[in-house]
């Protein structure tokens, strides 16, 4: 019987950076957009599955895709896959796989990206996903839209921490550098104010 639990890894910064740099240079690399987009999609699926397994005790089988209920502390699929509750918990520990207050964001991407046909549509889906945030008390609400500049919206860490390789600090710095927005523009200041609020008031410090 199979008892391997495979989770998709976080996406390399270099891959995402190459997509954005090409786009800024006017290069619409549809194959690269697919590579990045589907890598993020696989990661979102792992996050959704791990979260569902923990919160709802229903795991998406990593071998065949069936929903497996937890029965007597075991996930047991007809395809041969099985895992105990303890094995399941150990498999995602420390891997940023619990959706927490960003579940609606990952579910929205899971729904929208396969429908994206053009390069522009794919890039928009990717951009919204990696520049979103965990929103307090949003776990059970399907929030497709929210104003991140609204001070009443309580931001937590960026979703990029779940999706992109690196520590939280490294991911925040990566997202800050990702676009070609001029360093002292209003748009850059706006982004930094938002990410600082999500980072508990700690300012972004660039490495000189």
């Amino acid at each position: 019987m199979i008892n391997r639990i495979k989770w998709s890894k976080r996406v390399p910064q270099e891959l995402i950076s190459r997509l954005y740099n090409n786009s800024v240079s006017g290069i619409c690399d549809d194959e690269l957009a697919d590579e990045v987009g589907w890598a993020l999609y696989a990661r979102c699926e792992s996050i959704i599955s791990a979260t569902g397994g923990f919160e709802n005790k229903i795991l998406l089988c990593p071998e065949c895709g069936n929903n497996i209920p937890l029965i007597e502390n075991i996930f047991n699929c007809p395809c041969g896959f099985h895992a105990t509750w303890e094995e399941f918990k150990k498999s995602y520990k420390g891997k940023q796989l619990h959706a927490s207050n960003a579940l609606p964001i990952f579910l929205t991407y899971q729904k929208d990206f396969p429908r994206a046909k053009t390069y522009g549509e794919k890039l928009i889906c990717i951009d919204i996903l990696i520049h979103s945030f965990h929103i307090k008390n949003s776990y059970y609400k399907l929030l497709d839209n929210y104003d991140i500049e609204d001070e009443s919206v309580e931001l937590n860490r960026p979703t990029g921490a779940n999706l992109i390789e690196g520590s939280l600090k490294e991911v925040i710095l990566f997202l800050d550098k990702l676009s070609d927005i001029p360093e002292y523009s209003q748009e850059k200041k706006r982004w930094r104010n938002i990410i600082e609020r999500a980072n508990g008031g700690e300012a972004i410090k660039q490495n000189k």
Side-chain angles (χ1 to χ4, degrees):
M1 296 182 71
I2 307 167
N3 64 351
R4 299 184 303 272
I5 304 180
K6 301 174 184 177
W7 303 117
S8 294
K9 296 181 180 180
R10 287 183 286 175
V11 181
Q13 292 184 14
E14 183 277 330
L15 190 64
I16 298 172
S17 183
R18 184 150 43 95
L19 174 66
Y20 275 74
N21 288 336
N22 283 356
S23 183
V24 167
S25 301
I27 302 171
C28 298
D29 190 335
D30 201 57
E31 288 187 6
L32 182 57
D34 279 337
E35 184 178 359
V36 173
W38 286 112
L40 288 168
Y41 182 90
R43 179 65 181 178
C44 283
E45 279 204 323
S46 287
I47 291 169
I48 293 166
S49 179
T51 304
F54 183 77
E55 298 289 346
N56 303 320
K57 308 300 186 289
I58 298 176
L59 181 67
L60 186 68
C61 179
E63 297 294 331
C64 70
N66 283 331
N67 286 321
I68 321 169
L70 183 69
I71 300 175
E72 296 181 352
N73 280 327
I74 297 177
F75 293 107
N76 199 3
C77 185
C79 77
F81 169 85
H82 79 284
T84 66
W85 177 244
E86 288 303 318
E87 287 172 337
F88 162 69
K89 288 197 298 181
K90 288 179 181 178
S91 74
Y92 73 81
K93 185 177 181 180
K95 296 180 180 178
Q96 302 288 345
L97 280 163
H98 193 285
S100 187
N101 286 312
L103 182 61
I105 304 299
F106 303 129
L107 288 170
T108 296
Y109 184 83
Q110 185 189 46
K111 171 174 64 74
D112 289 347
F113 185 76
R115 300 176 182 175
K117 302 302 180 185
T118 67
Y119 175 83
E121 289 173 346
K122 294 170 187 176
L123 203 60
I124 287 171
C125 286
I126 292 168
D127 195 61
I128 291 173
L129 174 68
I130 67 174
H131 285 95
S132 293
F133 297 85
H134 289 250
I135 306 297
K136 187 175 180 180
N137 299 324
S138 70
Y139 179 83
Y140 294 105
K141 300 174 184 176
L142 293 181
L143 299 181
D144 290 326
N145 297 291
Y146 56 89
D147 184 0
I148 57 176
E149 296 187 79
D150 184 348
E151 293 293 335
S152 66
V153 174
E154 297 188 52
L155 303 180
N156 296 128
R157 62 198 178 92
T159 54
N162 300 88
L163 302 164
I164 303 169
E165 287 183 352
S167 67
L168 176 59
K169 182 178 179 180
E170 289 168 343
V171 170
I172 288 174
L173 288 171
F174 172 72
L175 292 172
D176 185 53
K177 295 175 181 177
L178 196 57
S179 73
D180 67 334
I181 298 171
E183 182 69 17
Y184 298 106
S185 70
Q186 287 301 116
E187 190 66 19
K188 178 67 83 173
K189 290 178 182 178
R190 169 181 169 273
W191 161 251
R192 287 190 171 177
N193 286 337
I194 291 168
I195 197 68
E196 182 178 333
R197 180 155 61 93
N199 201 30
E202 183 178 342
I204 296 173
K205 295 179 181 178
Q206 297 283 6
N207 295 322
K208 300 296 184 182

